[in-house]
Amino acid sequence: MDYIYHYHSPLGRITLAGDNDKNALTGLWFDGQKYFGSTLTGDFTQKKLPVFEQTIQWLNIYFSGKKPDFTPPLLMKTTNFRKMVWEILLTIPFGQTMTYGQIANKIAKQKEISKMSAQAIGGAVGHNAISLIIPCHRVIGINGSLTGYAGGIDKKIWLLAMEKADF
């Protein structure tokens, strides 16, 4: 069974999803965003799990404009390829950005292939089920353009500005 909990952020309500047995966060979405609830099964209930308490602490620190010094336990319910991409997203420091092309190059090296499509990377980034903590908002176009964000470009701009990112 999946569990959910709601958090009220400066950018609107966020829904958290978690796995109680594994004490891990499985989803974090702005309500109404593209691919909302993608990791949820049809069977879920609202309950405040310990992982939600950790996530709320992380979100409170984050929305105060500071870099949290911990990451709640995460369970990435996704394909191996998307997991590879999301793990790279976790390495993008607070206040910094990375391009789709840079991520594509990292994946190509990991897979020991000559090149990887930035478009494929975009699809994996766009389907990130644990927004903010896996910082897909820090991914930008090659020329610094703020292309795509499942939560909405307005939220991406706000988040990058709050982090004082150079974009």
Side-chain angles (χ1 to χ4, degrees):
M1 170 175 290
D2 291 318
Y3 294 92
I4 63 167
Y5 191 78
H6 299 290
Y7 175 84
H8 295 280
S9 82
L11 295 174
R13 194 168 86 162
I14 291 173
T15 296
L16 312 175
D19 182 312
N20 193 37
D21 294 335
K22 295 188 169 101
N23 186 40
L25 190 69
T26 59
L28 191 156
W29 308 272
F30 287 104
D31 284 10
Q33 83 172 50
K34 198 172 185 181
Y35 311 116
F36 177 87
S38 61
T39 63
L40 293 174
T41 63
D43 187 22
F44 61 88
T45 190
Q46 186 163 328
K47 180 180 177 183
K48 197 169 189 181
L49 302 177
V51 71
F52 294 159
E53 303 253 355
Q54 291 174 291
T55 303
I56 290 165
Q57 182 182 6
W58 189 99
L59 290 167
N60 288 339
I61 293 166
Y62 178 77
F63 282 117
S64 77
K66 298 178 183 139
K67 177 188 179 287
D69 62 356
F70 69 97
T71 302
L74 306 177
L75 177 60
M76 298 179 204
K77 294 173 140 183
T78 191
T79 65
N80 288 335
F81 175 72
R82 287 181 183 167
K83 187 175 182 179
M84 287 177 73
V85 173
W86 298 357
E87 286 172 346
I88 290 171
L89 299 182
L90 283 167
T91 69
I92 306 172
F94 182 94
Q96 294 183 30
T97 58
M98 186 178 285
T99 67
Y100 294 96
Q102 288 171 316
I103 296 169
N105 290 338
K106 287 178 180 277
I107 294 291
K109 279 186 183 174
Q110 286 179 13
K111 291 176 140 289
E112 297 180 345
I113 57 177
S114 61
K115 66 184 224 176
M116 169 62 60
S117 161
Q119 190 172 19
I121 300 302
V125 170
H127 284 84
N128 173 18
I130 308 175
S131 296
L132 300 176
I133 295 173
I134 298 176
C136 53
H137 62 280
R138 296 181 187 146
V139 182
I140 60 173
I142 193 153
N143 60 358
S145 61
L146 300 180
T147 61
Y149 184 59
I153 290 292
D154 58 329
K155 288 180 177 69
K156 183 172 188 164
I157 292 167
W158 191 95
L159 294 165
L160 290 172
M162 186 268 304
E163 291 184 16
K164 297 176 179 58
D166 187 18
F167 59 96

